[in-house]
Amino acid sequence: MKNFFRNLWFEYRSELYFGLILSVMTVLSYWLGAFIPEDIFERFINPIQYVATVTVCFYGAWAVYRHSEGIVIRKSWATTLFIWGWIDVVLMVVRYVFHITAVGGTPDDPLFNASVSVGNILAWLLYIYPSQILRPGWLNWWRAGLCITPMVLLTVVDYFLPANLLPLILGFPLFIFLLLCSHVRKYKQWCEDNFSTMDNIGAQWIVRYLTMLFLLGLSFYFICVWFVPNRMFTQQWLLLLILAYSTEQIIFRPDPWSEVQRGVLPHAEISNDESESFYLPKNAEEQKAILEKWFEDDKPYLNPDFRMQDLRQILPLNRTYLSKLINAEYGCSFYQLVSHYRVEEAKRLLTVNPTLRITDVAVQTGFSSSTVFSRIFFRETGLNPSEWALQQSHSESEA
């Protein structure tokens, strides 16, 4: 259990810091928003936030589509930004041209629950990106409509029946959110089974996205039950943050699933008709020996772009079998196995030359950066590279 929490800390500590800092900023923002006079907010701050959001949406949609490179996920996000931009344009016109604010803006209004439902339906647009990342190809028009239908039905039933279904209306998006969270581990496992480095493709980014989505949802619910116009100050900048930050990340981060689309890598899911016995042949020990000899002689893991498919140079087998072979024989993923060999190579280099810079050791052993190298080295040994080299020097001097 102790190792589990330690590994969890080293895997997601930056995301924990990110969530804590963003949570504190959100609370402080609500506190600051309480001091903003409503007329100042309505005349200046809110229009500026609307214009900023529309600008980010339309410019971001253009930039993402321009750099889509045929990747479905990027096209989906560009479409999301475009739709959201037009939604904000309509809201601006309704608010400042027709002078209509929130319909059902407080819990006492008859249409309050319907307003909450509309907000939840709009928020579904922000679920499109994580759905495409965690389960590519799963979300199509039919499934999207199927996901929104319960919310629409709850709204209609709530309006015509005396029963208050607000808890169910509020809880439905939370259910979808938790469903997405449950797929994070599967996505992380798929990445580790195919790649030797998690830079820019690991689950950390999607965890940050879901964290921002969660805080945005909490902010929305807070406004629903305690509606004050200037509370929208926090809601608007949170939305602006998630749209701008996500757009930047989507443009510049590689998409591992695009290699599935091009046929370089197979899909993560296994068809149900493939039996377990097919992936556990009797000569697994022999194949393990071939793999270890290749690792020891040629050291292919020193290539920072080394991946599961490269194993087919010596073991011409399908990726699913290779993954099961590593999991069964070593009790770890491909990423963890490669990381172990890289750390062992780093130990050898530090033993031969303890004065080597950590950056040089990281580059020579296939790590993308000294930060990643130090984190994985600590996870493997319980010491950072400098401490380990110093400990080895003391041990040799005493001997």
Side-chain angles (χ1 to χ4, degrees):
M1 183 63 69
K2 182 179 179 180
N3 290 334
F4 171 78
F5 284 109
R6 189 183 74 168
N7 291 336
L8 193 65
W9 165 253
F10 280 105
E11 288 289 339
Y12 296 107
R13 59 180 175 179
S14 63
E15 285 63 50
L16 178 60
Y17 288 139
F18 177 84
L20 288 175
I21 292 172
L22 192 58
S23 298
V24 171
M25 290 176 60
T26 303
V27 173
L28 291 177
S29 174
Y30 271 115
W31 175 78
L32 177 63
F35 295 96
I36 301 176
E38 290 191 18
D39 59 333
I40 299 295
F41 177 79
E42 284 293 329
R43 293 176 59 186
F44 299 104
I45 298 178
N46 201 40
I48 290 174
Q49 288 183 320
Y50 266 124
V51 171
T53 303
V54 170
T55 302
V56 167
C57 285
F58 286 147
Y59 177 76
W62 171 80
V64 172
Y65 192 81
R66 183 184 178 189
H67 296 87
S68 63
E69 299 174 355
I71 298 175
V72 176
I73 294 175
R74 292 181 182 176
K75 290 182 178 179
S76 298
W77 182 251
T79 304
T80 298
L81 290 176
F82 185 76
I83 294 174
W84 201 284
W86 277 112
I87 289 173
D88 268 11
V89 168
V90 172
L91 290 177
M92 286 177 62
V93 172
V94 169
R95 191 181 188 99
Y96 294 104
V97 176
F98 298 99
H99 305 289
I100 300 175
T101 56
V103 178
T106 65
D108 297 329
D109 294 327
L111 294 178
F112 173 74
N113 290 6
S115 299
V116 175
S117 298
V118 171
N120 287 334
I121 292 173
L122 294 179
W124 171 242
L125 290 171
L126 298 178
Y127 285 130
I128 293 175
Y129 176 67
S131 298
Q132 290 291 337
I133 280 285
L134 298 175
R135 297 190 66 184
W138 178 82
L139 186 64
N140 52 32
W141 288 108
W142 182 81
R143 290 195 178 99
L146 191 64
C147 290
I148 294 175
T149 299
M151 180 64 63
V152 176
L153 292 177
L154 282 173
T155 305
V156 173
V157 172
D158 177 82
Y159 182 78
F160 287 103
L161 293 183
N164 188 356
L165 301 181
L166 182 61
L168 292 177
I169 295 174
L170 293 175
F172 185 73
L174 181 61
F175 168 75
I176 298 177
F177 175 83
L178 294 176
L179 186 64
L180 289 173
C181 290
S182 68
H183 290 289
V184 171
R185 184 171 180 80
K186 295 179 182 178
Y187 170 74
K188 178 177 180 292
Q189 185 64 47
W190 181 84
C191 288
E192 291 191 357
D193 283 341
N194 284 282
F195 300 94
S196 64
T197 177
M198 294 297 102
D199 292 352
N200 299 324
I201 65 170
Q204 282 77 7
W205 154 241
I206 200 65
V207 170
R208 290 188 181 187
Y209 183 92
L210 291 174
T211 300
M212 291 188 290
L213 205 59
F214 179 73
L215 288 175
L216 186 69
L218 284 182
S219 174
F220 173 71
Y221 291 158
F222 178 69
I223 293 173
C224 288
V225 299
W226 187 21
F227 181 77
V228 179
N230 55 12
R231 299 293 182 189
M232 289 297 295
F233 169 72
T234 301
Q235 184 73 4
Q236 290 282 34
W237 77 255
L238 273 175
L239 176 62
L240 186 62
L241 173 66
I242 193 172
L243 294 177
Y245 183 48
S246 303
T247 299
E248 187 271 337
Q249 292 291 313
I250 289 168
I251 291 176
F252 294 104
R253 292 173 66 89
D255 172 35
W257 290 109
S258 63
E259 299 193 2
V260 176
Q261 297 172 8
R262 295 197 304 267
V264 178
L265 290 175
H267 197 280
E269 297 180 355
I270 304 170
S271 60
N272 295 327
D273 59 345
E274 293 175 327
S275 62
E276 191 74 18
S277 59
F278 176 78
Y279 297 106
L280 296 174
K282 298 177 181 179
N283 61 345
E285 286 293 332
E286 179 182 349
Q287 292 172 349
K288 178 184 176 183
I290 294 173
L291 179 63
E292 290 180 347
K293 186 177 187 305
W294 186 48
F295 271 41
E296 292 169 2
D297 294 345
D298 296 346
K299 298 183 180 180
Y301 50 85
L302 298 183
N303 177 8
D305 294 325
F306 186 53
R307 58 187 62 186
M308 173 72 76
Q309 286 294 96
D310 295 331
L311 299 185
R312 301 186 67 182
Q313 296 178 34
I314 57 153
L315 294 175
L317 305 166
N318 65 59
R319 185 217 62 91
T320 305
Y321 171 71
L322 289 172
S323 177
K324 285 183 173 290
L325 176 68
I326 292 175
N327 291 335
E329 297 298 323
Y330 295 97
C332 63
S333 66
F334 171 73
Y335 166 72
Q336 293 168 334
L337 177 65
V338 173
S339 296
H340 172 74
Y341 271 93
R342 286 173 174 171
V343 168
E344 291 301 313
E345 180 67 15
K347 289 180 182 179
R348 187 190 67 80
L349 293 176
L350 290 171
T351 301
V352 173
N353 187 359
T355 61
L356 271 176
R357 294 189 310 167
I358 300 303
T359 303
D360 294 335
V361 177
V363 171
Q364 293 181 39
T365 52
F367 288 101
S368 58
S369 68
S370 57
T371 303
V372 175
F373 166 57
S374 298
R375 184 176 71 246
I376 294 178
F377 193 96
F378 187 91
R379 187 179 64 187
E380 289 275 335
T381 65
L383 299 170
N384 63 50
S386 300
E387 291 173 343
W388 187 89
L390 184 62
Q391 186 182 79
Q392 290 299 112
S393 299
H394 288 329
S395 300
E396 291 177 3
S397 61
E398 291 175 0

Coordinates of all heavy atoms in Angstrom, one line a residue, residues 187-237:
Y187 N -6.5 4.1 -20.6 CA -5.7 4.8 -21.5 C -4.2 4.9 -21.1 O -3.3 4.7 -22.0 CB -6.2 6.3 -21.6 CG -5.3 7.2 -22.4 CD1 -5.3 7.1 -23.8 CD2 -4.5 8.2 -21.8 CE1 -4.4 8.0 -24.5 CE2 -3.7 9.0 -22.5 CZ -3.7 8.9 -23.9 OH -2.9 9.7 -24.6
K188 N -3.9 5.1 -19.8 CA -2.6 5.1 -19.3 C -1.9 3.7 -19.6 O -0.7 3.7 -20.0 CB -2.6 5.4 -17.8 CG -1.2 5.4 -17.2 CD -1.3 5.8 -15.7 CE 0.1 5.8 -15.1 NZ 0.7 4.5 -14.9
Q189 N -2.6 2.7 -19.4 CA -2.1 1.3 -19.6 C -1.8 1.1 -21.0 O -0.7 0.5 -21.4 CB -3.1 0.3 -19.1 CG -2.5 -1.2 -19.1 CD -1.3 -1.4 -18.2 OE1 -1.3 -1.0 -17.1 NE2 -0.3 -2.0 -18.7
W190 N -2.6 1.6 -21.9 CA -2.4 1.4 -23.4 C -1.1 2.2 -23.8 O -0.3 1.7 -24.5 CB -3.6 2.0 -24.1 CG -3.4 1.8 -25.6 CD1 -3.7 0.7 -26.4 CD2 -2.9 2.8 -26.5 NE1 -3.3 1.0 -27.7 CE2 -2.9 2.3 -27.8 CE3 -2.5 4.1 -26.3 CZ2 -2.5 3.0 -28.9 CZ3 -2.1 4.9 -27.5 CH2 -2.1 4.3 -28.7
C191 N -0.9 3.4 -23.3 CA 0.3 4.2 -23.6 C 1.5 3.4 -23.1 O 2.5 3.3 -23.8 CB 0.2 5.5 -22.9 SG -1.0 6.7 -23.7
E192 N 1.5 2.9 -21.9 CA 2.6 2.2 -21.3 C 2.9 0.9 -22.0 O 4.0 0.4 -22.0 CB 2.4 2.0 -19.8 CG 2.5 3.2 -19.0 CD 2.5 2.9 -17.5 OE1 2.5 1.7 -17.1 OE2 2.6 3.9 -16.7
D193 N 1.9 0.3 -22.6 CA 2.1 -1.0 -23.4 C 2.7 -0.7 -24.8 O 3.0 -1.7 -25.4 CB 0.8 -1.7 -23.5 CG 0.4 -2.4 -22.2 OD1 1.3 -2.6 -21.3 OD2 -0.8 -2.8 -22.0
N194 N 2.7 0.5 -25.2 CA 3.1 0.8 -26.6 C 4.4 1.7 -26.7 O 5.1 1.7 -27.7 CB 2.0 1.4 -27.4 CG 1.0 0.4 -27.8 OD1 1.2 -0.3 -28.8 ND2 -0.1 0.3 -27.1
F195 N 4.6 2.6 -25.7 CA 5.6 3.6 -25.8 C 6.6 3.4 -24.6 O 6.2 3.0 -23.5 CB 5.0 5.0 -25.8 CG 4.1 5.2 -27.0 CD1 2.7 5.0 -26.8 CD2 4.6 5.6 -28.2 CE1 1.9 5.2 -27.9 CE2 3.7 5.8 -29.3 CZ 2.4 5.6 -29.1
S196 N 7.9 3.9 -24.9 CA 8.9 3.8 -23.8 C 9.0 5.1 -23.1 O 9.8 5.3 -22.2 CB 10.2 3.4 -24.4 OG 10.7 4.4 -25.3
T197 N 8.3 6.1 -23.5 CA 8.3 7.4 -22.9 C 6.9 8.0 -22.9 O 6.1 7.8 -23.8 CB 9.2 8.4 -23.5 OG1 9.1 9.7 -22.9 CG2 8.9 8.6 -25.0
M198 N 6.5 8.6 -21.8 CA 5.1 9.2 -21.7 C 5.1 10.6 -22.0 O 4.1 11.3 -21.7 CB 4.6 8.9 -20.2 CG 4.4 7.5 -19.9 SD 3.2 6.6 -20.9 CE 4.2 5.7 -22.0
D199 N 6.2 11.2 -22.5 CA 6.2 12.7 -22.7 C 5.1 13.0 -23.7 O 5.1 12.5 -24.8 CB 7.6 13.1 -23.3 CG 8.7 13.0 -22.3 OD1 8.3 12.7 -21.1 OD2 9.8 13.1 -22.6
N200 N 4.2 13.9 -23.3 CA 3.2 14.5 -24.2 C 2.1 13.6 -24.6 O 1.2 14.0 -25.3 CB 3.8 15.1 -25.4 CG 4.8 16.2 -25.1 OD1 4.6 17.0 -24.2 ND2 5.9 16.3 -25.9
I201 N 2.2 12.3 -24.2 CA 1.1 11.4 -24.6 C 0.5 10.7 -23.4 O -0.5 9.9 -23.5 CB 1.6 10.3 -25.5 CG1 2.7 9.4 -24.9 CG2 2.2 10.9 -26.8 CD1 3.0 8.2 -25.7
G202 N 1.1 10.8 -22.2 CA 0.6 10.1 -21.0 C -0.8 10.7 -20.5 O -1.4 11.6 -21.1
A203 N -1.2 10.1 -19.4 CA -2.5 10.5 -18.9 C -2.5 11.8 -18.1 O -3.6 12.3 -17.7 CB -3.0 9.3 -18.0
Q204 N -1.3 12.4 -17.8 CA -1.2 13.5 -17.0 C -2.1 14.7 -17.6 O -2.8 15.4 -16.9 CB 0.2 14.0 -16.8 CG 1.0 13.2 -15.8 CD 1.4 11.8 -16.3 OE1 1.2 11.5 -17.5 NE2 2.0 11.0 -15.5
W205 N -1.9 14.9 -18.9 CA -2.7 16.0 -19.5 C -4.2 15.8 -19.4 O -4.9 16.8 -19.1 CB -2.3 16.2 -21.0 CG -3.3 16.8 -21.8 CD1 -4.0 16.3 -22.9 CD2 -3.9 18.1 -21.6 NE1 -4.9 17.2 -23.4 CE2 -4.9 18.3 -22.6 CE3 -3.7 19.1 -20.7 CZ2 -5.6 19.5 -22.7 CZ3 -4.4 20.3 -20.8 CH2 -5.4 20.5 -21.8
I206 N -4.7 14.6 -19.6 CA -6.1 14.4 -19.6 C -6.6 14.5 -18.1 O -7.7 15.0 -17.9 CB -6.5 13.1 -20.2 CG1 -8.0 13.1 -20.6 CG2 -6.2 11.9 -19.3 CD1 -8.3 14.0 -21.7
V207 N -5.8 14.2 -17.2 CA -6.1 14.4 -15.7 C -6.3 15.9 -15.5 O -7.2 16.3 -14.8 CB -5.1 13.8 -14.8 CG1 -5.3 14.2 -13.4 CG2 -5.1 12.3 -14.9
R208 N -5.4 16.7 -16.0 CA -5.5 18.2 -15.8 C -6.8 18.7 -16.5 O -7.5 19.5 -15.9 CB -4.3 18.9 -16.4 CG -3.0 18.6 -15.6 CD -1.9 19.5 -16.2 NE -0.7 19.3 -15.4 CZ 0.4 20.0 -15.6 NH1 0.4 21.0 -16.5 NH2 1.5 19.7 -14.9
Y209 N -7.1 18.2 -17.6 CA -8.3 18.7 -18.3 C -9.5 18.3 -17.5 O -10.4 19.1 -17.3 CB -8.4 18.0 -19.7 CG -9.5 18.4 -20.5 CD1 -9.4 19.5 -21.4 CD2 -10.8 17.8 -20.4 CE1 -10.5 19.9 -22.2 CE2 -11.9 18.2 -21.2 CZ -11.7 19.3 -22.0 OH -12.8 19.7 -22.8
L210 N -9.6 17.1 -17.0 CA -10.7 16.7 -16.2 C -10.8 17.4 -14.9 O -11.9 17.7 -14.4 CB -10.6 15.2 -15.9 CG -10.9 14.2 -17.1 CD1 -10.6 12.8 -16.8 CD2 -12.3 14.4 -17.7
T211 N -9.6 17.8 -14.3 CA -9.6 18.6 -13.1 C -10.3 20.0 -13.4 O -11.1 20.5 -12.6 CB -8.2 18.8 -12.6 OG1 -7.6 17.6 -12.3 CG2 -8.2 19.7 -11.4
M212 N -9.9 20.6 -14.5 CA -10.5 21.9 -14.9 C -12.0 21.8 -15.1 O -12.8 22.6 -14.8 CB -9.8 22.5 -16.1 CG -8.3 22.9 -15.9 SD -7.6 23.8 -17.3 CE -7.4 22.4 -18.4
L213 N -12.3 20.7 -15.8 CA -13.8 20.4 -16.1 C -14.6 20.2 -14.8 O -15.7 20.7 -14.6 CB -13.9 19.2 -16.9 CG -15.1 19.0 -17.8 CD1 -15.2 20.2 -18.8 CD2 -15.1 17.7 -18.6
F214 N -14.0 19.6 -13.8 CA -14.6 19.3 -12.5 C -14.8 20.7 -11.8 O -15.9 20.9 -11.3 CB -13.8 18.4 -11.7 CG -14.4 18.1 -10.3 CD1 -15.5 17.3 -10.2 CD2 -13.8 18.7 -9.2 CE1 -16.0 17.0 -8.9 CE2 -14.3 18.4 -7.9 CZ -15.4 17.6 -7.8
L215 N -13.8 21.5 -11.7 CA -13.9 22.8 -11.1 C -14.9 23.7 -11.8 O -15.7 24.4 -11.2 CB -12.6 23.5 -11.0 CG -11.6 22.9 -10.0 CD1 -10.2 23.6 -10.1 CD2 -12.1 23.0 -8.6
L216 N -15.0 23.6 -13.1 CA -15.9 24.4 -13.9 C -17.4 24.0 -13.6 O -18.3 24.8 -13.4 CB -15.7 24.2 -15.4 CG -16.5 25.1 -16.3 CD1 -16.1 26.6 -16.2 CD2 -16.3 24.7 -17.8
G217 N -17.5 22.6 -13.4 CA -18.9 22.1 -13.0 C -19.3 22.5 -11.6 O -20.4 22.9 -11.4
L218 N -18.3 22.5 -10.7 CA -18.6 22.9 -9.3 C -19.0 24.4 -9.3 O -19.9 24.8 -8.6 CB -17.4 22.7 -8.4 CG -17.2 21.3 -8.0 CD1 -15.9 21.2 -7.0 CD2 -18.4 20.7 -7.3
S219 N -18.3 25.2 -10.1 CA -18.6 26.6 -10.2 C -20.0 26.9 -10.7 O -20.7 27.7 -10.2 CB -17.5 27.3 -11.0 OG -17.9 28.7 -11.2
F220 N -20.3 26.1 -11.7 CA -21.7 26.2 -12.3 C -22.8 25.9 -11.3 O -23.8 26.6 -11.2 CB -21.8 25.3 -13.6 CG -23.1 25.2 -14.2 CD1 -23.6 26.3 -14.9 CD2 -23.9 24.1 -14.1 CE1 -24.9 26.3 -15.4 CE2 -25.1 24.0 -14.7 CZ -25.7 25.1 -15.3
Y221 N -22.6 24.8 -10.6 CA -23.6 24.4 -9.6 C -23.7 25.4 -8.5 O -24.7 25.7 -7.9 CB -23.2 23.0 -9.0 CG -23.4 21.9 -10.0 CD1 -22.7 20.7 -9.8 CD2 -24.2 22.0 -11.1 CE1 -22.8 19.6 -10.7 CE2 -24.3 21.0 -12.0 CZ -23.7 19.8 -11.8 OH -23.8 18.8 -12.7
F222 N -22.5 26.0 -8.1 CA -22.5 27.0 -7.1 C -23.4 28.2 -7.5 O -24.1 28.8 -6.7 CB -21.1 27.4 -6.8 CG -21.0 28.5 -5.7 CD1 -21.3 28.3 -4.4 CD2 -20.6 29.8 -6.1 CE1 -21.2 29.3 -3.4 CE2 -20.5 30.8 -5.1 CZ -20.8 30.5 -3.8
I223 N -23.2 28.6 -8.8 CA -24.0 29.7 -9.3 C -25.5 29.4 -9.3 O -26.3 30.2 -9.1 CB -23.5 30.1 -10.7 CG1 -22.1 30.7 -10.6 CG2 -24.4 31.1 -11.3 CD1 -21.4 31.0 -11.9
C224 N -25.8 28.1 -9.7 CA -27.2 27.7 -9.8 C -27.9 27.8 -8.5 O -29.1 28.3 -8.4 CB -27.2 26.2 -10.3 SG -26.8 26.0 -12.0
V225 N -27.3 27.4 -7.4 CA -28.0 27.4 -6.1 C -27.8 28.8 -5.3 O -28.5 29.1 -4.4 CB -27.4 26.3 -5.2 CG1 -27.7 25.0 -5.8 CG2 -26.0 26.5 -4.9
W226 N -26.9 29.6 -5.8 CA -26.7 30.9 -5.2 C -26.4 31.9 -6.2 O -25.2 32.3 -6.4 CB -25.5 30.8 -4.1 CG -25.4 32.1 -3.3 CD1 -26.3 33.1 -3.1 CD2 -24.2 32.5 -2.6 NE1 -25.8 34.1 -2.3 CE2 -24.5 33.8 -2.0 CE3 -23.0 32.0 -2.4 CZ2 -23.6 34.4 -1.2 CZ3 -22.0 32.7 -1.7 CH2 -22.4 33.9 -1.1
F227 N -27.4 32.3 -7.0 CA -27.2 33.1 -8.2 C -27.0 34.6 -7.8 O -27.9 35.2 -7.2 CB -28.4 33.0 -9.1 CG -28.2 33.8 -10.4 CD1 -27.4 33.4 -11.4 CD2 -28.9 35.1 -10.5 CE1 -27.2 34.1 -12.5 CE2 -28.7 35.8 -11.7 CZ -27.8 35.4 -12.7
V228 N -25.8 35.1 -8.1 CA -25.5 36.5 -8.0 C -24.8 36.9 -9.3 O -23.8 36.1 -9.7 CB -24.6 36.8 -6.8 CG1 -24.3 38.3 -6.8 CG2 -25.3 36.4 -5.5
P229 N -25.2 37.9 -10.0 CA -24.6 38.1 -11.4 C -23.1 38.2 -11.4 O -22.5 37.6 -12.3 CB -25.2 39.5 -11.8 CG -26.5 39.5 -11.0 CD -26.3 38.8 -9.7
N230 N -22.5 38.8 -10.4 CA -21.0 38.9 -10.5 C -20.3 37.6 -10.2 O -19.1 37.5 -10.2 CB -20.5 40.1 -9.6 CG -21.0 39.9 -8.2 OD1 -21.5 38.9 -7.8 ND2 -20.8 41.0 -7.4
R231 N -21.1 36.6 -9.7 CA -20.4 35.3 -9.6 C -20.0 34.7 -10.9 O -19.2 33.8 -11.0 CB -21.4 34.3 -8.9 CG -21.9 34.7 -7.5 CD -20.7 34.7 -6.5 NE -21.2 35.1 -5.2 CZ -20.4 35.3 -4.1 NH1 -19.1 35.2 -4.3 NH2 -20.8 35.6 -3.0
M232 N -20.6 35.2 -12.0 CA -20.3 34.7 -13.3 C -18.8 35.1 -13.7 O -18.3 34.6 -14.6 CB -21.2 35.3 -14.4 CG -22.6 34.7 -14.3 SD -22.6 33.0 -14.7 CE -22.1 33.0 -16.4
F233 N -18.2 36.0 -12.9 CA -16.8 36.4 -13.1 C -15.9 35.2 -13.1 O -15.1 35.0 -13.9 CB -16.4 37.5 -12.1 CG -15.0 37.7 -12.0 CD1 -14.3 38.4 -13.1 CD2 -14.2 37.3 -11.0 CE1 -13.0 38.7 -13.0 CE2 -12.8 37.5 -10.9 CZ -12.2 38.2 -12.0
T234 N -16.1 34.4 -12.0 CA -15.3 33.2 -11.9 C -15.6 32.1 -13.0 O -14.7 31.5 -13.5 CB -15.6 32.5 -10.5 OG1 -15.2 33.5 -9.5 CG2 -14.7 31.3 -10.3
Q235 N -16.9 31.9 -13.2 CA -17.3 31.0 -14.2 C -16.7 31.3 -15.6 O -16.3 30.4 -16.3 CB -18.9 30.9 -14.3 CG -19.4 29.9 -15.3 CD -19.3 28.5 -14.7 OE1 -18.8 28.3 -13.6 NE2 -19.6 27.5 -15.5
Q236 N -16.7 32.6 -16.0 CA -16.2 33.0 -17.3 C -14.7 32.8 -17.4 O -14.3 32.3 -18.4 CB -16.6 34.5 -17.5 CG -18.1 34.7 -17.7 CD -18.5 34.3 -19.1 OE1 -18.0 33.4 -19.7 NE2 -19.5 35.1 -19.7
W237 N -14.0 33.2 -16.4 CA -12.5 33.0 -16.6 C -12.1 31.5 -16.5 O -11.1 31.1 -17.1 CB -11.7 33.9 -15.6 CG -11.6 33.4 -14.2 CD1 -12.2 34.0 -13.1 CD2 -10.7 32.4 -13.6 NE1 -11.9 33.3 -11.9 CE2 -10.9 32.4 -12.2 CE3 -9.8 31.5 -14.2 CZ2 -10.3 31.5 -11.4 CZ3 -9.1 30.6 -13.4 CH2 -9.4 30.6 -12.0

